Amino acid sequence: MASRAATKFLPFHIPCIEEDDVNAVVDVLRTGWITTGPKVADFENAFATFLGVRHAIAVSSCTAALHLALDAIGLDENDEVLLPTLTFTATAEVVTYFKAKPILVDCEPTYFTIDPKAVDARLTPRSRGIIPVHLGGQPCAMTDIRAIADRNGLTVIEDAAHAFPAKYDGQYIGTLSPITAFSFYATKTLTTGEGGMITTDEDALAVRMRSMRLHGMNADAWKRYAATGSWRYDVAEAGYKYNLTDLQAALGVTQLAKSLAMRQRRAEIARKYEIALRGLNAYETPTCKSNIEHAWHLYVILIRPQRLRIGRDEVITELKKCGIGTAVHFIPLHLFSYYQKRWGYRPGQFPVAEDYFNRCISLPLYPTMTDEDVGLVIEALEDIAYRFEA
Ligand SMILES: Cc1ncc(COP(=O)(O)O)c(C=O)c1O
């Protein structure tokens, strides 16, 4: 079968923005209060209730959330924080804000989330925390990670940028560790354009992070221009400007209300991919842990080089010729010039992550995809497998 002529391009991602989302943002525009205010409070309360956690703190990004989390645990110069090399640079860069060291580790060969054995092997007296990343929405081996953290007095801060909503052993991600950070970036499973949320059950951490997200001011300082507020406030610390706006939070509230329905549609699409692709020798499909609920932020296939005459990059090009957008998650951090020059990492150091990177393709996966769209992706992959069979 010849390649499909690219009549219409199917993008890698389109955010699911419906009329209720648009109306919610417009309503905020009409209230006269467009920065942090009552909508942010509504979004935080709804998010905390959804997960069943004491505190949800809305911030401008997941990067900000991770930064505030490390500040709240008192990360210090020369401390070490363990995290997977297979992640986005934000997970590690926040560690360097403190002149602390990101200790990169490899991932597990079946699920490609952080390998607890690799974490254990890289502990030193300077280890302070672990940032597991729920890659693509599949929760990490949290029981093992928690055990390592408990044995060694480390704090776990979960990078759940991909993991809303997801469960581990029946519990929502966001309720398991002292602090969890979520992302609402445009491609994420719940979006506010840009944005993030921190969840914690610990009151003292919540107080610190709430204050530091807005210049270290006392908690209700955002109300200072409102009828119920006062012009007087204290600045207890030199904080940051990491607040979310009511415009963004309005979108957060409407998106949250349909987050389970959106997840269900992504899971349905993942299932269609799985059924169609698992029989093809050219690709490996994702393996899910038995004790989790996947958020299905990403559906990543791995090409089998021994079964295909073309490499990952060529498969991406062929898909593009068929009008299908894809992405690669992620280039392992140790392959970037910064991590090599500043921290001495080198190619070949994390073979599982590198092999994954060389073979991975993230397929389109979002609720507004039609069955026909899914069919086009499957057909194109079948066609490539057939035409380039080794
Ligand atoms: C694993 C991971 N962590 C953190 C981030 C940072 O999220 P944000 O863009 O909300 O700062 C991303 C963004 O893509 C990510 O993929």
Side-chain angles (χ1 to χ4, degrees):
M1 197 190 89
S3 318
R4 186 175 75 92
T7 46
K8 177 185 104 170
F9 191 71
L10 176 71
F12 168 66
H13 186 77
I14 303 174
C16 181
I17 303 296
E18 299 173 315
E19 272 312 293
D20 60 329
D21 302 298
V22 173
N23 292 337
V25 176
V26 171
D27 286 350
V28 169
L29 281 170
R30 294 206 165 100
T31 65
W33 188 285
I34 57 176
T35 185
T36 308
K39 271 291 165 197
V40 168
D42 286 352
F43 184 32
E44 290 179 337
N45 290 335
F47 201 85
T49 303
F50 181 97
L51 292 182
V53 69
R54 271 176 77 75
H55 304 280
I57 302 159
V59 288
S60 52
S61 68
C62 182
T63 310
L66 291 167
H67 184 189
L68 292 171
L70 293 174
D71 166 82
I73 67 162
L75 191 71
D76 220 339
E77 207 169 316
N78 298 322
D79 282 349
E80 295 179 349
V81 178
L82 298 112
L83 57 108
T85 188
L86 199 55
T87 185
F88 185 59
T89 188
T91 317
E93 85 189 21
V94 289
V95 174
T96 72
Y97 295 176
F98 298 83
K99 297 194 166 60
K101 182 172 182 184
I103 304 294
L104 304 182
V105 301
D106 213 340
C107 48
E108 302 182 274
T110 307
Y111 309 110
F112 304 103
T113 45
I114 189 168
D115 184 349
K117 288 198 280 305
V119 171
D120 231 351
R122 302 230 39 205
L123 293 171
T124 75
R126 289 190 168 154
S127 305
R128 190 63 221 295
I130 309 172
I131 311 184
V133 177
H134 306 304
L135 189 71
Q138 161 126 273
C140 299
M142 292 308 296
T143 306
D144 294 343
I145 288 164
R146 206 166 7 197
I148 294 170
D150 289 349
R151 270 200 310 275
N152 297 281
L154 312 182
T155 306
V156 177
I157 294 171
E158 290 174 57
D159 180 336
H162 300 184
F164 184 80
K167 285 185 179 173
Y168 182 84
D169 274 346
Q171 275 183 281
Y172 270 122
I173 294 299
T175 63
L176 300 170
S177 297
I179 306 179
T180 304
F182 293 91
S183 173
F184 307 138
Y185 177 70
T187 58
K188 297 301 192 288
T189 52
L190 182 166
T191 187
T192 59
E194 298 279 355
M197 190 73 82
I198 312 168
T199 58
T200 182
D201 274 325
E202 295 185 26
D203 297 349
L205 292 174
V207 168
R208 169 84 187 181
M209 292 188 287
R210 265 188 200 288
S211 160
M212 292 302 277
R213 95 174 144 178
L214 196 62
H215 303 299
M217 290 153 78
N218 52 333
D220 279 346
W222 63 267
K223 284 187 183 156
R224 65 194 183 282
Y225 303 115
T228 53
S230 157
W231 60 268
R232 193 178 284 283
Y233 57 88
D234 185 35
V235 174
E237 291 284 345
Y240 309 99
K241 184 72 163 69
Y242 282 164
N243 54 312
L244 194 77
T245 68
D246 268 20
L247 287 171
Q248 294 165 307
L251 202 46
V253 170
T254 48
Q255 291 264 301
L256 180 63
K258 50 193 162 193
S259 59
L260 288 177
M262 291 197 291
R263 184 207 166 271
Q264 193 182 336
R265 177 61 186 154
R266 290 192 308 275
E268 235 170 64
I269 296 169
R271 180 115 191 94
K272 285 182 194 292
Y273 280 150
E274 174 62 26
I275 290 168
L277 301 177
R278 74 178 160 211
L280 301 177
N281 289 327
Y283 316 109
E284 275 173 43
T285 53
T287 308
C288 288
K289 293 168 186 149
S290 56
N291 62 337
I292 62 118
E293 266 180 41
H294 206 303
W296 290 117
H297 167 50
L298 300 177
Y299 190 93
V300 180
I301 56 165
L302 301 179
I303 65 152
R304 289 200 177 102
Q306 63 280 23
R307 303 295 190 137
L308 267 182
R309 283 181 286 109
I310 55 173
R312 189 271 316 275
D313 295 358
E314 288 85 3
V315 174
I316 288 178
T317 306
E318 289 299 320
L319 286 168
K320 205 176 212 169
K321 281 191 211 160
C322 296
I324 294 161
T326 55
V328 168
H329 297 90
F330 288 100
I331 303 171
L333 297 183
H334 70 282
L335 299 183
F336 288 117
S337 55
Y338 165 74
Y339 291 94
Q340 294 180 2
K341 277 194 214 126
R342 175 65 185 86
W343 301 106
Y345 292 108
R346 49 183 203 288
Q349 214 176 339
F350 303 109
V352 180
E354 247 172 86
D355 178 58
Y356 177 93
F357 162 60
N358 289 326
R359 301 194 291 127
C360 70
I361 304 173
S362 303
L363 303 181
L365 176 62
Y366 41 97
T368 52
M369 282 177 78
T370 62
D371 287 352
E372 194 190 19
D373 292 333
V374 181
L376 289 175
V377 179
I378 291 168
E379 223 176 273
L381 284 164
E382 285 169 345
D383 175 46
I384 292 166
Y386 174 72
R387 279 192 295 135
F388 297 100
E389 189 179 1

